[in-house]
Amino acid sequence: MLTREQARQIDRNAIDELKIPSIILMENAGRGCAEILLREVAESEKEKYSPGETKYAPSRAKVPTLLQIVPHHGVVICCGPGNNGGDGFVIARHLHLAKVPVKIILLANPQQYRGDAAINWQIVQRLPIEIVFCRQDDTLNQECLDIASLLTTAIGVLTTWIVDAILGTGSNGPLRQSLVPWVRAINQASARRLAVDLPTGMDCDTGVIDPVAVMADITCTFVDRKQGFTHPDAGRYLGRIETVHIGCP
């Protein structure tokens, strides 16, 4: 189990002692999340086409390939400030390369991105990925007032997954009031939810939820589980926990 500070120290050791460029760590994190999401999409379709031992089940030859499946699964990625948003950009790129319809909802001022997050922001802007700009400084753009409709489709395809890449382990204290409606809308959406590192609204060290948090179906946590996951109420927000290894001890 990692505290917030231990997670930071692991990153620092990888960068300073092992000389692993930090952008490689972000690439490995985002790609790992994307691979888990693609696996989930494939598994859900396999269950649809192979419903147990029944004489009505179609033959294996009729089960579609991944490239036939993914265009029918839209993914909306909600990206916040900092490296969690940067992870979201990497996820978006890899899903796009796998032919998945993707939409990025930007819940941060893009001028504030720094370092690896800024590099990945520059990359996704050069790809044919739909990006909805929802924040400029502290003002919510008018087109983003109908949050539910923004979460419903990605490039005209019904959203089956929402990725929570809003806030990560560095977040401390109550959720910003402007993010509360987004978290509530994400929880109310019919799509399944994947949280990047930990659900937005959950404290890494304590697991305390204040005032709301994303209720994930899957949490892709990096390197190891976080200390806050032991909180008695954490399970209903974490869903199934998948540990994503990012290439460092």
Side-chain angles (χ1 to χ4, degrees), residues 7-129:
R8 289 172 177 161
Q9 187 61 48
I10 285 172
D11 283 348
R12 285 195 293 265
N13 287 345
I15 296 163
D16 298 337
E17 301 298 327
L18 299 179
K19 304 304 180 185
I20 301 174
S22 58
I23 197 161
I24 290 180
L25 302 179
M26 181 173 286
E27 179 70 16
N28 290 344
R31 182 171 185 169
C33 292
E35 288 174 349
I36 288 170
L37 192 51
L38 287 169
R39 185 187 71 201
E40 287 298 310
V41 168
E43 287 297 320
S44 67
E45 288 293 322
K46 191 185 296 182
E47 291 172 7
K48 188 185 301 182
Y49 281 82
S50 304
E53 293 295 327
T54 168
K55 64 181 179 179
Y56 299 109
S59 68
R60 287 182 179 272
K62 292 183 181 179
V63 177
T65 66
L66 185 60
L67 286 178
Q68 291 172 315
I69 291 169
V70 292
H72 306 292
H73 289 262
V75 177
V76 170
I77 304 179
C78 298
C79 294
N83 285 342
N84 208 244
D87 296 333
F89 300 145
V90 176
I91 295 169
R93 170 161 46 87
H94 283 287
L95 292 180
H96 170 74
L97 293 174
K99 311 298 184 188
V100 178
V102 176
K103 174 165 67 180
I104 292 173
I105 295 180
L106 199 64
L107 298 174
N109 181 349
Q111 296 178 356
Q112 295 177 343
Y113 285 116
R114 298 290 182 269
D116 304 327
I119 292 171
N120 279 295
W121 167 240
Q122 293 298 323
I123 293 171
V124 293
Q125 287 182 90
R126 288 165 170 77
L127 294 171
I129 294 175

Side-chain angles (χ1 to χ4, degrees), residues 133-155:
F133 293 80
C134 282
R135 186 155 295 282
Q136 198 70 33
D137 297 322
D138 289 325
T139 306
L140 193 66
N141 293 342
Q142 284 297 117
E143 65 179 306
C144 296
L145 294 180
D146 189 355
I147 298 172
S149 65
L150 285 174
L151 297 173
T152 301
T153 60
I155 318 181

Side-chain angles (χ1 to χ4, degrees), residues 140-219:
L140 193 66
N141 293 342
Q142 284 297 117
E143 65 179 306
C144 296
L145 294 180
D146 189 355
I147 298 172
S149 65
L150 285 174
L151 297 173
T152 301
T153 60
I155 318 181
V157 177
L158 189 67
T159 302
T160 57
W161 281 91
I162 297 172
V163 175
D164 163 26
I166 304 173
L167 298 176
T169 56
S171 176
N172 194 5
L175 201 61
R176 247 190 4 248
Q177 193 57 41
S178 60
L179 290 177
V180 171
W182 284 93
V183 171
R184 286 181 174 149
I186 289 169
N187 288 340
Q188 292 167 3
S190 59
R192 298 179 71 193
R193 296 170 288 276
L194 183 146
V196 176
D197 213 6
L198 81 170
T200 291
M202 175 182 288
D203 186 274
C204 174
D205 288 352
T206 66
V208 170
I209 309 300
D210 185 20
V212 293
V214 169
M215 301 183 76
D217 294 280
I218 298 175
T219 295

